[in-house]
Every structure is written in C-alpha cells, then in structure tokens.
Amino acid sequence: MTNIYCIIGLPGSGKTTYANYLSKIKNISVIHKDNYFKQDAFTLLNNELTYNDVIYDALLFNIKQRKELLSNLIICKKYLIIMNTSLEECLRRNS
C-alpha cells in the first residue's frame, strides 16, 4: 500500500520547506498544489499513488477541503502533517 503525506498550514508556515526536506530523506516526489488546478492535482496524486508514495503540499484550510481530498484519493495510507507556525511568524515570512 502506498502512502500520502499531506502537509497543511498557513502561507509562510514552512510547508514547502518541510515537504522538500521530507522528499529528500524519503526519496519520494512532492506535488505542490499551487502548481495545479484542483482536479489536475487529484488526478496527478492518484496516478502517482498507484505506484509510489507522495508528499502533497497544500493549504487545505478547512475540513471540507480535507474531506474532498480524502474522498478523491485511491486507497492508500494517509498522513496529515500540520505546520503549527504562529501567525506572527507566518506574517513575518510573507512580508
């Protein structure tokens, strides 16, 4: 069974930095949601998850977005990594 690591958090929380780090230590690919339309990202994720583990770098702020992701994925083991960076730090990084 393949694995998906969904990394969520505020803009500037370190999602992409952590996704790239995790990608290097686990030697798996990263799909950055910002680079795809929603449906394209789901298709790409499912195609990749057929054979490989994947890291998904996305905001997924609310429960509706998380449920939509989970309901559109093939059967795989799912890990949710929440970047718990303070709002002040996120704002500082984005300024």
Side-chain angles (χ1 to χ4, degrees):
M1 179 180 290
T2 57
N3 301 301
I4 183 167
Y5 301 86
C6 297
I7 303 175
I8 65 170
L10 293 171
S13 63
K15 294 181 304 296
T16 300
T17 301
Y18 188 72
N20 292 335
Y21 166 77
L22 193 59
S23 172
K24 285 179 184 167
I25 65 170
K26 292 196 164 285
N27 195 29
I28 56 178
S29 61
V30 179
I31 295 176
H32 300 279
K33 185 180 180 210
D34 295 346
N35 297 340
Y36 302 95
F37 291 108
K38 180 170 51 177
Q39 207 51 48
D40 291 342
F42 289 150
T43 301
L44 186 59
L45 282 168
N46 279 321
N47 288 344
E48 192 72 23
L49 283 167
T50 303
Y51 305 104
N52 304 301
D53 292 350
V54 174
I55 299 167
Y56 187 48
D57 172 9
L59 290 173
L60 299 176
F61 278 127
N62 61 51
I63 191 71
K64 180 181 174 189
Q65 291 171 319
R66 290 189 292 272
K67 283 183 178 180
E68 182 179 18
L69 171 68
L70 296 175
S71 68
N72 281 290
L73 290 177
I74 63 172
I75 295 174
C76 62
K77 191 161 185 178
K78 299 162 183 85
Y79 297 90
L80 181 63
I81 301 166
I82 301 170
M83 302 303 290
N84 192 20
T85 308
S86 72
L87 177 59
E88 293 79 18
E89 180 63 17
C90 291
L91 290 171
R92 185 190 67 75
R93 291 176 181 174
N94 282 311
S95 60

